[in-house]
Amino acid sequence: MRILVFGSNGLVGSNVKNVLLETSYECLFSSRKDTDLFDLNSTLETIKKFQPNIIINCAARVGGINANDKNRTIFLLENLKINMNIFESIMGLDPIKVINLGSSCIYPLDALNPISESSIMSGKLEPTNSAYAMAKLTAIELGNSIKKEFGHNVINLMPTNLYGKYDNFSKEDSHVIPGLIYRMHDAKINSQKKFSVWGTGTPLREFLNAMDFAKSILFIIENNINDDLLNIGSNEEVSIKELASIIKKTINYEGEIIFDEEMPDGNPRKLLDSTKIFDYGWKPEIKLEQGLKEAYEWFKSN
């Protein structure tokens, strides 16, 4: 088994790499150093040279609410280019299994919770990340077309909100967990008495440790699961207010947490229905409190 991982230096890719290194599979962990995924020829060259049985596409331009909304054009363009070049590269090749990573933001703003795979394309998208979501939706449609027309086995995985070691920790452009950790750690170091969190704190979110997600990918490979679309979640919800409180305890920040209600909340609730993958036999192992401690320790060390 030859497995090619694109985007192997990011949050998901790094965890996938650590999981696959414990197996006997022959793997190529690709990054920007060896492959320009914005260039079709570079992408095709890497695939032809390694001749993988499986491609895991972890490559993406990602960010939180602020980054998604203020960089809409670049998020749409770059994610479209990455997926277009990977899929176009394999069109004329022998059948390859492609595990393509999407995002739960592909589902409509008003989708019924828990959100099942059948909710795709059933309503309007959440406006702050609709550009990123459209890129991911286009990749799903492209993958399905490649599968039908050229015989490649394409599986689209829709993870819930991921976090963990190797995440992108930034004050402004991160997802909620690394952003809160970075800013609250900074507030602690600078003895700030108050810490502001965007929104009302009431939205409910589901989080999954990236190592658990990486293990789900290995589970899918080893159990030859071939669903077109598959949600991967933890089936546990927490409010942003509760999350901030847990992070406060993890970091040992002693100031007051306040909520800036003039800033956007995003989707009020987003819980995935992960019944399909659970029924196959996969379940997450890392509880939120444990995962946050590990993520914070990694952040401090890096």
Side-chain angles (χ1 to χ4, degrees), residues 83-145:
N83 288 283
M84 286 173 62
N85 286 332
I86 291 173
F87 281 124
E88 187 172 350
S89 293
I90 68 172
M91 282 171 56
L93 303 180
D94 291 336
I96 297 172
K97 187 170 189 173
V98 180
I99 299 176
N100 183 52
L101 308 190
S103 166
S104 60
C105 72
I106 66 158
Y107 293 118
L109 175 63
D110 59 355
L112 182 66
N113 281 264
I115 306 170
S116 71
E117 290 89 350
S118 62
S119 297
I120 187 172
M121 300 289 287
S122 63
K124 292 184 178 180
L125 300 168
E126 201 283 313
T128 59
N129 59 21
S130 59
Y132 177 72
M134 283 300 298
K136 291 299 185 180
L137 284 166
T138 302
I140 292 170
E141 184 65 23
L142 183 56
N144 291 341
S145 299

Side-chain angles (χ1 to χ4, degrees), residues 13-301:
S14 296
N15 281 280
V16 167
K17 180 178 180 179
N18 287 344
V19 168
L20 290 178
L21 286 173
E22 298 296 319
T23 71
S24 60
Y25 301 134
E26 184 178 353
C27 300
L28 175 61
F29 302 107
S30 175
S31 70
R32 295 177 183 177
K33 293 180 180 179
D34 58 76
T35 307
D36 180 4
L37 292 175
F38 298 143
D39 180 78
L40 177 61
N41 291 328
S42 178
T43 307
L44 178 59
E45 182 181 0
T46 297
I47 294 173
K48 279 189 170 182
K49 185 176 181 180
F50 187 65
Q51 297 182 343
N53 306 107
I54 296 174
I55 293 175
I56 304 174
N57 178 22
C58 301
R61 175 70 177 262
V62 298
I65 289 177
N66 185 49
N68 269 288
D69 203 25
K70 75 177 183 180
N71 301 308
R72 302 177 65 84
T73 305
I74 200 72
F75 270 64
L76 181 54
L77 284 173
E78 290 194 358
N79 285 294
L80 280 173
K81 288 177 182 178
I82 289 168
N83 288 283
M84 286 173 62
N85 286 332
I86 291 173
F87 281 124
E88 187 172 350
S89 293
I90 68 172
M91 282 171 56
L93 303 180
D94 291 336
I96 297 172
K97 187 170 189 173
V98 180
I99 299 176
N100 183 52
L101 308 190
S103 166
S104 60
C105 72
I106 66 158
Y107 293 118
L109 175 63
D110 59 355
L112 182 66
N113 281 264
I115 306 170
S116 71
E117 290 89 350
S118 62
S119 297
I120 187 172
M121 300 289 287
S122 63
K124 292 184 178 180
L125 300 168
E126 201 283 313
T128 59
N129 59 21
S130 59
Y132 177 72
M134 283 300 298
K136 291 299 185 180
L137 284 166
T138 302
I140 292 170
E141 184 65 23
L142 183 56
N144 291 341
S145 299
I146 289 280
K147 183 175 185 176
K148 183 176 181 179
E149 190 172 353
F150 294 94
H152 298 287
N153 185 7
V154 181
I155 305 168
N156 297 287
L157 302 186
M158 300 301 118
T160 190
N161 301 290
L162 299 173
Y163 75 98
K165 295 186 290 185
Y166 311 104
D167 209 339
N168 173 34
F169 290 83
S170 164
K171 287 186 178 181
E172 300 294 336
D173 295 334
S174 293
H175 288 114
V176 58
I177 285 180
L180 285 175
I181 288 176
Y182 190 114
R183 293 196 302 111
M184 202 177 294
H185 173 82
D186 196 47
K188 174 187 174 182
I189 296 301
N190 291 290
S191 301
Q192 295 177 12
K193 294 182 178 180
K194 292 186 177 182
F195 179 84
S196 178
V197 177
W198 275 24
T200 63
T202 60
L204 296 173
R205 290 292 180 268
E206 175 189 29
F207 295 100
L208 180 69
N209 192 278
M211 176 56 75
D212 273 333
F213 182 53
K215 289 181 179 179
S216 79
I217 294 173
L218 180 60
F219 179 89
I220 287 166
I221 292 171
E222 294 188 332
N223 289 276
N224 198 30
I225 295 170
N226 295 307
D227 294 56
D228 292 338
L229 189 66
L230 201 56
N231 288 341
I232 312 290
S234 65
N235 199 36
E236 294 183 358
E237 288 182 292
V238 62
S239 71
I240 297 300
K241 184 176 182 179
E242 291 170 320
L243 175 66
S245 178
I246 297 170
I247 292 176
K248 177 181 178 180
K249 183 179 179 180
T250 301
I251 292 177
N252 195 26
Y253 171 64
E254 296 180 352
E256 178 188 1
I257 296 177
I258 59 175
F259 292 89
D260 184 355
E261 298 187 7
E262 293 186 359
M263 301 305 290
D265 271 334
N267 203 323
R269 187 187 183 205
K270 192 167 64 174
L271 174 67
L272 293 184
D273 182 352
S274 300
T275 301
K276 286 186 178 181
I277 188 68
F278 283 10
D279 285 348
Y280 280 125
W282 174 84
K283 290 282 174 40
E285 301 171 355
I286 303 171
K287 294 298 183 181
L288 182 61
E289 290 80 0
Q290 174 193 347
L292 289 174
K293 288 178 182 178
E294 293 174 354
Y296 182 51
E297 291 304 316
W298 186 89
F299 164 74
K300 289 192 295 181
S301 299

